[in-house]
Amino acid sequence: LENKKDDEAVDFFRRSIAAAGTHSAKVALAGLLAKRGEYEEAGKLIQSVLAFMPDRADALFILYEMKMQKAD
């Protein structure tokens, strides 16, 4: 059930980004993708946000979490 909800959330945020491309939607999608182990796409989304907002805490936190997961 959790995977289905995650899939629905990923679809929602992909549509949101396609429609408006907001940084909040990109960060939310990146967090979901990172949770699923899809680090490459998540990293691209985070980097696109940090290019405009380098101090955005939630994006930096997701980037940190991904680096820690890759270090394991």
Side-chain angles (χ1 to χ4, degrees), residues 7 10-11 20-21 25-26 28-29 33 53 63 65-66 70:
D7 290 342
V10 166
D11 290 341
K26 289 179 181 181
L29 178 56
L33 293 172
M53 305 174 78
L63 186 62
E65 284 186 319
M66 289 190 316
K70 286 182 181 180

Side-chain angles (χ1 to χ4, degrees), residues 4-50:
K4 184 177 185 331
K5 288 182 181 180
D6 284 351
D7 290 342
E8 290 172 359
V10 166
D11 290 341
F12 171 80
F13 286 116
R14 286 189 196 281
R15 287 192 310 272
S16 177
I17 291 167
T22 66
H23 295 301
S24 294
K26 289 179 181 181
V27 171
L29 178 56
L32 287 168
L33 293 172
K35 177 180 168 187
R36 294 165 42 150
E38 298 177 35
Y39 300 121
E40 186 174 340
E41 185 177 358
K44 288 178 183 177
L45 288 165
I46 291 297
Q47 293 302 329
S48 73
V49 171
L50 293 175

